[in-house]
């Protein structure tokens, strides 16, 4: 299972599709080179199309109630599912008891299991023995590589001549990865070569060529792994631009991500992803999100480099509110602001072109 796509995937997202805790499933519905996505499991949306639920556009990916139902439907259509992919991204990365029972059902049905959670299924004796007995593979995507394979920061990032753009966010689960992909696509459409550095388990599941799983790495090696991923993309591809997927946000109390990206990735410029209708940090009522202007100040103060655009996540907004929200952000920050899922990445590319060398 080394070539892509690796097989036909059922994405498990029980009770979470369309919510921040379903962001891994969302990413796989929007794009993946690693699998052909057959269906989604979430009893809350059974009978619906995953693309319609997520973005209002059908993708031909049905949502079913449970494993048995989706397997029966797939096989009746001549499709043989090969993988059960955990599309949940709960706080703390833990597997619920119900989800564990469903994983066991999937293994009994002959499905390989890919999980991006912190609960390693391969270290669960019952599940590991069951997988062996059924001849299927378990991959824990967040499992840290052996320490001897990890890289310490060397300073070789200074060799990289590609324009380095980091897509950071004002919160976790706010759409940084999706925006990074859209920006990469828009740059390539304009004739620029671009590579993306994935920094989370979902990007790996989407088949990103260069990446790390930042939040499970040993702290001493986080900076070195970021540097090595960026440097490797430059050495191998020599792209005009390298886009780095952000993690968490600088001031999120539970996921204060981004500092290592600023320090080790040495981005030249930043895109900041923001959800105007989100008032508190994801999963933490009573912890108000710092204003976007203050978050821009923090990024620029720490890095010494500019934020050049704000991209908008329009969750919990009606379509009529989105242009006004973008205009308000532009007025407050002096930066272009766009909802890239609706309007594409062209406006962001325009902000980057003056910085790019042909």
């Amino acid at each position: 299972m080394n070539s892509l796509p690796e097989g036909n995937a059922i994405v498990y997202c029980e009770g979470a599709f369309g919510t921040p805790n379903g962001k891994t499933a969302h990413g796989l519905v929007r794009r993946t080179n690693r699998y052909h996505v057959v269906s989604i499991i979430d009893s809350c949306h059974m009978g619906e199309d995953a693309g319609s639920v997520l973005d209002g556009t059908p993708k031909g990916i049905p949502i079913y109630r449970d494993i048995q139902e989706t397997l029966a439907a797939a096989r009746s259509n001549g499709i043989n599912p090969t993988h059960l992919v955990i599309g949940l991204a709960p706080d703390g990365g833990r597997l619920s008891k119900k989800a564990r029972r469903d994983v066991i059902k999937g293994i009994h049905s002959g499905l390989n299991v890919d999980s991006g959670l912190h609960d390693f299924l391969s270290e669960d004796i019952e599940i590991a023995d069951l997988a062996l007995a059924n001849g299927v593979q378990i991959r824990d995507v967040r499992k840290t590589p052996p320490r001897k394979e990890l890289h310490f920061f060397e300073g070789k990032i200074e060799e990289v001549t590609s324009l380095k753009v980091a897509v950071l966010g004002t919160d976790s689960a706010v759409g940084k990865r999706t925006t990074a992909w859209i920006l990469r696509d828009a740059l390539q459409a304009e004739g620029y070569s671009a590579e993306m550095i994935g920094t989370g388990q979902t990007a790996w599941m989407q088949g990103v060529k260069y990446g790390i799983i930042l939040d499970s790495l040993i702290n001493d090696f986080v900076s070195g792994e970021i540097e090595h991923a960026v440097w490797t993309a430059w050495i191998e591809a020599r792209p005009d631009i390298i886009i780095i997927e952000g993690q968490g946000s600088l001031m999120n109390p539970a996921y204060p991500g981004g500092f290592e990206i600023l320090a080790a990735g040495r981005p030249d410029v930043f895109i900041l992803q923001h959800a105007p209708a989100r008032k508190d940090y994801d999963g933490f009522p009573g912890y108000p999100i710092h204003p976007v202007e203050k978050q821009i100040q923090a990024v620029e103060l720490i890095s010494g480099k500019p934020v050049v655009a704000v991209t908008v996540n329009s969750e919990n907004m009606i379509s009529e509110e989105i242009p006004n929200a973008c205009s308000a952000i532009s007025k407050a920050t002096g930066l272009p602001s766009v909802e890239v899922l609706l309007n594409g990445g062209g406006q962001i590319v325009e902000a980057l072109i003056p910085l790019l060398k042909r």
Side-chain angles (χ1 to χ4, degrees):
M1 293 188 293
N2 293 320
S3 61
L4 302 182
E6 295 181 342
N8 298 320
I10 296 169
V11 180
Y12 183 86
C13 196
E14 174 57 30
F17 197 76
T19 77
N21 284 350
K23 66 177 184 177
T24 295
H26 303 165
L28 295 176
V29 168
R30 286 179 174 135
R31 71 166 69 220
T32 178
N33 296 321
R34 189 171 296 280
Y35 320 99
H36 167 63
V37 176
V38 174
S39 58
I40 306 295
I41 293 175
D42 183 3
S43 59
C44 298
H45 290 285
M46 61 181 182
E48 299 182 71
D49 181 278
S52 297
V53 173
L54 195 57
D55 298 318
T57 303
K59 295 274 289 191
I61 300 175
I63 304 176
Y64 292 102
R65 175 174 48 197
D66 53 33
I67 289 175
Q68 291 86 349
E69 188 176 274
T70 190
L71 281 172
R75 289 167 180 165
S76 70
N77 289 319
I79 299 171
N80 181 37
T82 56
H83 291 71
L84 179 67
V85 180
I86 308 300
L88 298 168
D91 292 337
R94 303 298 184 188
L95 189 70
S96 70
K97 291 181 179 179
K98 182 184 186 324
R100 185 179 181 278
R101 290 194 298 269
D102 287 336
V103 166
I104 289 172
K105 291 177 183 176
I107 294 172
H108 275 300
S109 299
L111 298 175
N112 299 293
V113 180
D114 285 352
S115 172
L117 301 179
H118 283 301
D119 282 342
F120 295 150
L121 301 181
S122 61
E123 296 180 0
D124 182 310
I125 294 175
E126 180 186 3
I127 287 178
D129 287 347
L130 190 62
L132 183 63
N134 283 271
V136 301
Q137 182 183 26
I138 294 175
R139 291 189 293 192
D140 289 306
V141 177
R142 262 185 169 138
K143 210 163 193 178
T144 309
R147 295 191 187 198
K148 64 181 180 181
E149 297 179 9
L150 297 175
H151 299 84
F152 193 76
F153 185 81
E154 300 176 9
K156 62 188 179 185
I157 193 71
E158 304 302 336
E159 299 174 19
V160 178
T161 56
S162 304
L163 181 73
K164 301 185 297 297
V165 179
V167 181
L168 303 185
T170 58
D171 196 11
S172 61
V174 78
K176 300 178 286 291
R177 183 195 64 258
T178 298
T179 289
W181 280 120
I182 291 172
L183 177 56
R184 192 209 65 162
D185 292 347
L187 284 160
Q188 291 181 347
E190 289 295 322
Y192 295 95
S193 56
E195 293 291 344
M196 176 174 152
I197 308 299
T199 56
Q201 70 274 14
T202 306
W204 182 92
M205 290 176 171
Q206 291 175 314
V208 73
K209 186 175 182 180
Y210 302 101
I212 61 172
I213 315 295
L214 188 151
D215 66 5
S216 62
L217 286 171
I218 300 163
N219 190 60
D220 273 359
F221 298 103
V222 171
S223 291
E225 286 293 293
I226 292 170
E227 177 189 50
H228 185 70
V230 175
W231 180 83
T232 301
W234 175 71
I235 282 289
E236 293 184 0
R238 297 297 170 112
D240 297 315
I241 186 167
I242 294 174
I243 304 161
I244 307 172
E245 174 199 5
Q247 287 294 318
S249 73
L250 291 182
M251 291 181 277
N252 183 299
Y255 307 109
F259 292 99
E260 297 95 344
I261 290 172
L262 269 63
R266 319 297 286 179
D268 299 299
V269 294
F270 298 90
I271 309 296
L272 192 64
Q273 179 90 1
H274 179 58
R278 194 182 293 189
K279 304 305 178 186
D280 295 322
Y281 282 108
D282 178 36
F284 296 92
Y287 285 80
I289 293 178
H290 294 78
V292 65
E293 302 95 316
K294 184 176 285 295
Q295 300 224 26
I296 290 171
Q297 291 173 0
V299 170
E300 295 184 339
L301 178 64
I302 294 168
S303 69
K305 301 292 185 178
V307 174
V308 297
V310 177
T311 48
V312 167
N313 177 330
S314 59
E315 66 177 37
N316 298 319
M317 300 172 67
I318 60 175
S319 58
E320 292 80 7
E321 295 174 323
I322 299 169
N324 290 336
C326 291
S327 295
I329 290 170
S330 291
K331 183 176 180 180
T333 64
L335 300 173
S337 178
V338 61
E339 214 286 16
V340 294
L341 266 177
L342 296 177
N343 300 306
Q347 194 172 342
I348 308 304
V349 171
E350 290 178 10
L352 295 174
I353 284 177
L355 307 170
L356 285 165
K357 299 176 182 177
R358 277 296 202 178

